[in-house]
Amino acid sequence: MTDKKTFDAVSTWMKAISEHADASADVVLCGNKIDLVDQRQVSQAQGRSVAENYKIKYFECSAK
């Protein structure tokens, strides 16, 4: 959630998943580092919107 470039790469990852993963694979989008509130570059709404676009579940977490 602290790096917009990484978030923008989701479309690339989804393309790779559709090309290489088994069709029955479970896919989710997980935004990490939500504890770094002052460094956040991607909103929860943006994450949810992308997940909805791909019809996958969305979660936010912190590895801290």
Side-chain angles (χ1 to χ4, degrees):
M1 305 315 294
T2 61
D3 189 343
K4 182 78 164 77
K5 289 186 308 181
T6 302
F7 179 73
D8 291 341
V10 169
S11 61
T12 302
W13 302 334
M14 292 302 294
K15 182 179 177 186
I17 290 168
S18 69
E19 291 175 357
H20 303 290
D22 188 275
S24 65
D26 290 326
V27 179
V28 299
L29 180 61
C30 186
N32 192 23
K33 298 185 180 180
I34 62 168
D35 58 297
L36 302 176
V37 177
D38 58 328
Q39 297 177 38
R40 189 167 189 141
Q41 296 180 8
V42 179
S43 71
Q44 186 177 49
Q46 289 171 301
R48 285 187 177 164
S49 177
V50 168
E52 287 174 8
N53 182 53
Y54 289 109
K55 297 177 177 48
I56 59 177
K57 291 185 179 183
Y58 176 70
F59 300 95
E60 290 191 348
C61 66
S62 170
K64 184 176 180 179

